[in-house]
Amino acid sequence: MNNAKPVVSIQHVPFFLLFLLAISSLSTLCEGKITQGFDFLQHLQGCHKGQTVPGLHELKTYLKKFGYVNAQDDLYEHAEDDDFDEVLESQIRTYQLNYHLDPTGTLDAQTVRQMMTPRCGCEDTIRATIPARSWNGKHSTDGGQRSRIDLNVSDFTFFPGAPRWSKTELTYGYSSSASDIDAGTFNYVVESALAKWAAVSGFSFEEASSTNSDVVFGVHRYEHGDGAPFDGKGGVLAHAFAPSIGWCHFDADENWSTNPGPREFDLETATIHEMGHVLGLGHSYEPNAIMYPYMPPGTEKRDLHENDIQGIQALYSLSA
């Protein structure tokens, strides 16, 4: 894959800029982790109701971006300040229930670690069977330790209203504003991802021009015209839109690879995931599923999980 960047002559860069670049590189390389994106959450670990902590407004923005703020919360007077009130506590608890975490309502280490992981930019679907404003305190135990909460619900979800395509023969094309991913590699990965979904659904796919195609794949950075700007390295990796919009976009600033190392993201895993959104699937809360929204660097998931297959077949009323 071609990840080449423009070459800048060192003699044209002021010394203090070189110093800043060096510091930035060291922080990114530290422990082989991607250290941008959602790292603002790290210093918020341990926060709980009743506190006022600088930076909590960023957490509120995070929860709003990913679907945990309802219309009533959006009008609340503390929506943009740094107060940790009962509304924020409830939103965090809903997030924790969605991801089978201990629903403490506080920013415990496990929750912060989950939130900091790079992910898809699409909103999470709040499963209707989870009470968004209450918790009965029941949980399973394992050796005295709290473990996964048994919600007795399917982990796959759909977009609100369960939108679907009205046809099964879809065309696809490409339209990018950035060229950071080699076109041949991108095409190969897309074809592989489409074949995975075609094998378990009634869909077929044929390449066409981007101006006439149902699905458009593109590589972009920051603001790119769809109302959902990317955020640079780390954080949001890619996003897609529900039927029948058909847009599927990837952040050009990520370290994409077809053979990912510990600081790279697998392009095929992301493409299969985003194509699931294009077909109408929301996020899954089964960690092994393709439609699970979080994707740590180095992760490869190139085969559909049973949960993904059940989801697409349930959405389109297909027999298993």
Side-chain angles (χ1 to χ4, degrees):
M1 182 176 301
N2 182 10
N3 289 318
K5 304 294 182 181
V7 177
V8 179
S9 174
I10 193 170
Q11 65 183 353
H12 295 133
V13 182
F15 176 79
F16 76 95
L17 286 180
L18 288 175
F19 175 78
L20 291 177
L21 287 170
I23 294 298
S24 174
S25 297
L26 283 173
S27 65
T28 302
L29 289 170
C30 180
E31 298 182 1
K33 296 179 180 178
I34 303 296
T35 59
Q36 300 179 33
F38 304 138
D39 279 10
F40 69 88
L41 289 158
Q42 193 162 23
H43 84 277
L44 298 176
Q45 182 173 314
C47 291
H48 55 81
K49 186 173 70 174
Q51 294 182 312
T52 299
V53 180
L56 276 176
H57 68 280
E58 293 184 89
L59 170 63
K60 295 177 181 181
T61 299
Y62 177 103
L63 290 167
K64 181 177 181 179
K65 178 179 180 65
F66 295 119
Y68 293 89
V69 176
N70 61 32
Q72 182 179 357
D73 292 346
D74 209 19
L75 298 175
Y76 194 65
E77 60 180 334
H78 296 290
E80 297 180 357
D81 62 24
D82 289 324
D83 292 345
F84 199 130
D85 57 17
E86 67 278 0
V87 174
L88 179 58
E89 180 185 54
S90 181
Q91 292 168 358
I92 293 172
R93 183 172 290 138
T94 300
Y95 175 93
Q96 291 166 329
L97 285 168
N98 246 15
Y99 285 99
H100 307 298
L101 302 173
D102 190 3
T104 62
T106 66
L107 279 181
D108 54 69
Q110 188 178 21
T111 301
V112 170
R113 184 165 54 250
Q114 176 81 20
M115 288 182 168
M116 286 178 61
T117 306
R119 60 165 288 162
C120 169
C122 296
E123 287 189 1
D124 291 342
T125 304
I126 309 302
R127 293 175 291 177
T129 47
I130 298 177
R133 290 285 172 260
S134 65
W135 175 56
N136 61 15
K138 295 180 181 178
H139 59 272
S140 60
T141 59
D142 182 9
Q145 300 296 317
R146 293 188 178 190
S147 59
R148 174 174 171 148
I149 301 161
D150 183 10
L151 296 170
N152 296 314
V153 295
S154 298
D155 281 324
F156 62 78
T157 69
F158 309 134
F159 286 98
R164 305 187 300 173
W165 289 91
S166 60
K167 56 184 179 180
T168 57
E169 296 178 355
L170 301 180
T171 57
Y172 68 96
Y174 301 88
S175 179
S176 298
S177 59
S179 58
D180 296 60
I181 298 178
D182 174 73
T185 300
F186 197 21
N187 185 270
Y188 172 83
V189 167
V190 165
E191 289 181 357
S192 178
L194 294 177
K196 301 289 175 62
W197 286 111
V200 299
S201 69
F203 285 98
S204 62
F205 305 96
E206 182 178 355
E207 187 170 358
S209 68
S210 62
T211 56
N212 297 318
S213 58
D214 299 307
V215 183
V216 180
F217 295 93
V219 183
H220 308 279
R221 56 171 40 90
Y222 295 105
E223 178 56 58
H224 52 280
D226 64 359
F230 285 126
D231 54 4
K233 195 176 295 294
V236 170
L237 305 175
H239 59 226
F241 294 79
S244 55
I245 298 175
W247 295 341
C248 186
H249 298 159
F250 300 81
D251 189 346
D253 286 322
E254 306 301 345
N255 295 326
W256 294 110
S257 176
T258 55
N259 184 27
R263 295 181 56 248
E264 297 173 317
F265 297 100
D266 186 52
L267 183 60
E268 185 167 349
T269 300
T271 304
I272 301 171
H273 176 99
E274 301 305 333
M275 192 59 205
H277 287 318
V278 170
L279 295 178
L281 288 180
H283 283 142
S284 170
Y285 301 103
E286 161 55 57
N288 295 314
I290 282 287
M291 296 312 297
Y292 189 71
Y294 288 96
M295 184 175 161
T299 300
E300 288 186 33
K301 287 193 287 188
R302 298 180 179 177
D303 293 311
L304 295 174
H305 186 272
E306 179 182 2
N307 184 260
D308 304 305
I309 299 171
Q310 290 174 345
I312 196 66
Q313 293 183 346
L315 179 60
Y316 288 93
S317 301
L318 302 172
S319 58

